[in-house]
Amino acid sequence: MLKNVNIEDIKNIALKAGQIIMEIYNKDFTVEYKDDKSPLTEADTKSNEFICKALEELYPNIPIMSEENKQVDYEIRKYWEYYWCIDPIDGTKEFIKKNDEFTVNIALIHKDTPVLGVVYAPAIDKIYWAKKNEGAYLEVLGARCEVLSKNKLPLTDQKNLKEKITVVPNIGFSREDRNRHMHRIGHLIKTLQNNSVSTFASFVSPYRESRKAIRDMVKNNVVVYVKADIETCKIRDYKGVYKKALNGELQNFTGISDVYEEPQYAEIIIDTDKVGINEAVNIISRYIKNNYVK
């Protein structure tokens, strides 16, 4: 199935959806609210209609899962071998604020694994795309959507995770950059959650405002505070980054040249100075089983 899907077709669909969105973005528009109190605009609806129609015409045998469509019961979805997962506007709140931070997302899922994806940011003329065995790319576009530059994105092969691959994001470490990145993570988790995918996410999250933003976005959010004092972190620093930070070679480094705002509310606290790995895993597993497994 995957070899029969032309990535250029999917990119073109995203680009045309982006044009529809920008026509509405550049004028006044009304905002409605769904049952879950999340906002909905004419741009969400029209982008969704266009993407669904285009995918159905090109690939009629592949079902579609969209945030704006009526959800298909899991008892049916669980038998889908391939399906499209789309978000016609990821970042509707940002669209409403007119701060340019929203995207068109289209992904092809094989069972539970993304094998093709396009993320288009129409307000800033950037499109990210990837296809299994072909790599991941960033294209910067001109006024007529012509490609001005194309860069292959760096990949980190996590060998101990059985060939799972992570795209390394190009972000900075200022408070603004970190909060923006956490906001993106929250949107991704929310999208996965809306498609019945439970998510575990591990990251450095030093600021209370970004943790609150994710808690506001994500239902059944469980914060696990993995705690260690700064001296313990230095001892465990096999990469030598704490030494570089102390020498002034790394800026905005959490705990050294930047603050760490300890969580005021965390469902689980793992004090790694007192608890080993196996016990920590058991603590988290027991909490999930007791509170979420029926």
Side-chain angles (χ1 to χ4, degrees), residues 35-267:
D35 292 341
D36 64 358
K37 297 184 179 179
S38 59
L40 180 71
T41 70
E42 180 186 4
D44 294 272
T45 303
K46 287 192 172 181
S47 173
N48 185 67
E49 290 174 351
F50 172 78
I51 294 170
C52 291
K53 182 179 179 181
L55 289 174
E56 287 170 352
E57 288 177 354
L58 287 172
Y59 306 102
N61 296 323
I62 303 179
I64 297 172
M65 169 78 68
S66 170
E67 190 169 319
E68 308 307 337
N69 292 350
K70 182 179 179 180
Q71 297 304 302
V72 178
D73 190 89
Y74 176 69
E75 289 304 311
I76 297 174
R77 287 189 284 116
K78 70 181 181 180
Y79 295 109
W80 290 352
E81 183 176 7
Y82 284 90
Y83 68 92
W84 295 108
C85 180
I86 68 174
D87 192 344
I89 298 183
D90 185 7
T92 301
K93 290 180 180 179
E94 284 65 40
F95 177 87
I96 294 168
K97 294 175 185 176
K98 295 200 172 187
N99 65 9
D100 295 349
E101 294 185 3
F102 53 89
T103 59
V104 178
N105 300 348
I106 305 174
L108 180 64
I109 313 297
H110 179 221
K111 295 181 179 177
D112 60 358
T113 303
V115 291
L116 177 151
V118 173
V119 177
Y120 176 41
I124 59 174
D125 298 317
K126 291 183 178 180
I127 185 166
Y128 298 82
W129 61 271
K131 186 176 181 180
K132 185 178 180 181
N133 299 324
E134 294 186 17
Y137 296 85
L138 164 62
E139 293 178 353
V140 178
L141 308 176
R144 298 182 179 180
C145 291
E146 73 276 17
V147 178
L148 301 179
S149 67
K150 176 179 177 180
N151 296 297
K152 188 169 186 178
L153 296 175
L155 297 176
T156 301
D157 189 1
Q158 307 291 344
K159 295 180 181 178
N160 60 328
L161 297 180
K162 296 183 180 179
E163 299 181 354
K164 289 187 180 292
I165 291 181
T166 303
V167 177
V168 181
N170 183 21
I171 60 167
F173 292 93
S174 68
R175 193 178 190 109
E176 182 182 2
D177 284 337
R178 285 177 184 256
N179 282 338
R180 183 180 296 114
H181 183 55
M182 293 296 292
H183 202 74
R184 290 170 181 162
I185 290 171
H187 274 297
L188 176 59
I189 294 171
K190 179 182 176 182
T191 299
L192 291 169
Q193 191 178 68
N194 288 341
N195 289 282
S196 304
V197 179
S198 298
T199 307
F200 290 81
S202 175
F203 37 75
V204 178
S205 173
Y207 310 126
R208 287 176 182 146
E209 67 259 31
S210 58
R211 294 194 293 265
K212 181 180 183 301
I214 288 185
R215 195 181 279 278
D216 290 343
M217 276 189 279
V218 178
K219 300 175 185 176
N220 299 322
N221 180 287
V222 177
V223 173
V224 181
Y225 175 23
V226 181
K227 185 177 182 180
D229 65 37
I230 195 69
E231 295 303 320
T232 300
C233 290
K234 292 177 186 177
I235 293 170
R236 296 172 179 168
D237 180 25
Y238 67 92
K239 291 184 177 180
V241 291
Y242 277 87
K243 183 178 180 180
K244 290 181 179 179
L246 288 166
N247 291 336
E249 298 175 44
L250 298 176
Q251 302 302 314
N252 304 112
F253 194 90
T254 302
I256 303 295
S257 54
D258 195 14
V259 299
Y260 180 80
E261 298 171 351
E262 192 169 12
Q264 295 174 308
Y265 308 101
E267 283 75 8

Side-chain angles (χ1 to χ4, degrees), residues 268-282:
I268 303 171
I269 299 176
I270 304 294
D271 189 339
T272 60
D273 289 322
K274 300 176 182 178
V275 175
I277 293 175
N278 291 335
E279 186 178 353
V281 170
N282 289 334

